[in-house]
Amino acid sequence: MEPTTASTLASPAMRRGLYIENQPFNSGYLPEQDGHSVFFEQCGRPNGKPCLILHGGPGGAINPTMRRYFDPSRWHMVLFDQRGCGRSTPNASLDHNTTWTLIEDIERLRVQLGLEKWTVFGGSWGSTLALAYAIAHPDRVEALVLRGIFMGSKRELHWFYQNGASMLFPDVWERYVAPIPMEERGNLMAAFHKRLTGSDPVAQAEAAAAWSQWEGDTISIRGPADRPDKFNETAFAVAFARIECHYFMNGCFFEEDDWIVKNLDRIRHIPGWIVQGRYDVVTPMDAAWRVKSGWPEVNFNLIWDAGHASTEPGVIDGLVRATDAAFSL
């Protein structure tokens, strides 16, 4: 496979759309481990080419749209709700909830389903987990399809949660910091973490709503109207914010900052595609460019009229074309 770098600003008529809606043909739970029951579902063609679809966050959840980036007549799609979120239980639990326990869950799921290898698909935190899994188990990954690259570095976290994105969205930023007293705003992640893991349910819900809405309002260049409805749901917001903040306060549980970039040599033989919005504020292009620099074989598709959301037209087009190409391997 010859790597390519493309910049896309295609007309709407030229862009691919999502595949048809499709329903799971099977769902269930992995055997309980560390007190967690992990929900999974299988969609598409039972004997099709296997792929694993990872949701974002951490602390997000799977949704029906995630199935529609793959041709359901050709792919065997596997999705799961990561520990503490979605239909996995206990909800919002932080116990034994790390990048490495999620990777253990992925391997348990692969073995339970009897799959030798699979294509791994993920955006935002899903790209982080996909890359970490591939680095840990390169022999189990046939291809990687990634969007909105995030490496969990101090630089990225400071940009989005302390100082950087705030200069582009000062109006939205005011709502984000509102639950935090002025004297605690020198370390916003720590201030949110105290409330999200504290015993006051009112303070927790208020902090969770502000944290989640901040991401929801900056996710798309099309504005807050493109924010998923789930960001307005209290239960989702609490799990999402608690788990995200837990991971970010712990550097996503990597041994060192930039762990992913420093280990890219382990996956350079794996075919890969990156779809990146030029105006992505949540996970700016710098991280994707650094991954591309350390993995020059990857196909890199820069979408000029897109931000972070997976539902922006140019991003949909890039991801659907990437999964079609991955099927042909």
Side-chain angles (χ1 to χ4, degrees), residues 78-218:
V78 181
L79 304 87
F80 77 102
D81 285 323
Q82 296 159 29
R83 294 187 179 201
C85 56
R87 282 167 283 186
S88 293
T89 59
N91 183 256
S93 172
L94 307 181
D95 294 335
H96 300 285
N97 196 339
T98 73
T99 304
W100 309 111
T101 57
L102 297 186
I103 288 174
E104 289 176 13
D105 290 341
I106 292 172
E107 274 296 276
R108 290 196 299 135
L109 182 56
R110 182 190 62 78
V111 171
Q112 178 165 312
L113 299 180
L115 303 174
E116 184 68 20
K117 299 178 74 170
W118 44 15
T119 291
V120 182
F121 175 101
S124 194
W125 161 253
S127 76
T128 320
L129 185 56
L131 286 164
Y133 172 71
I135 289 168
H137 298 282
D139 55 327
R140 300 304 180 188
V141 178
E142 184 170 16
L144 286 162
V145 179
L146 309 172
R147 170 194 63 81
I149 300 295
F150 172 63
M151 294 185 292
S153 68
K154 294 176 182 176
R155 185 182 184 192
E156 292 166 289
L157 294 171
H158 186 84
W159 156 266
F160 193 62
Y161 293 106
Q162 188 65 44
N163 185 34
S166 57
M167 291 184 280
L168 296 175
F169 293 91
D171 50 339
V172 180
W173 183 259
E174 282 189 6
R175 293 195 294 271
Y176 166 62
V177 300
I180 309 301
M182 192 66 67
E183 61 270 19
E184 294 185 57
R185 292 183 185 179
N187 188 338
L188 285 165
M189 283 210 314
F192 272 98
H193 186 263
K194 181 173 73 174
R195 289 157 177 80
L196 292 167
T197 59
S199 58
D200 183 343
V202 175
Q204 182 186 72
E206 183 182 32
W211 179 283
S212 301
Q213 187 173 16
W214 165 241
E215 182 163 333
D217 284 347
T218 56

Side-chain angles (χ1 to χ4, degrees), residues 23-43:
Q23 298 300 316
F25 64 78
N26 183 48
S27 64
Y29 287 85
L30 287 173
E32 183 177 313
Q33 183 164 301
D34 301 326
H36 287 271
S37 293
V38 172
F39 175 83
F40 71 91
E41 61 182 29
Q42 295 167 269
C43 311

Side-chain angles (χ1 to χ4, degrees), residues 54 109 182 240 305 322:
L54 299 173
L109 182 56
M182 192 66 67
F240 180 78
D305 58 343

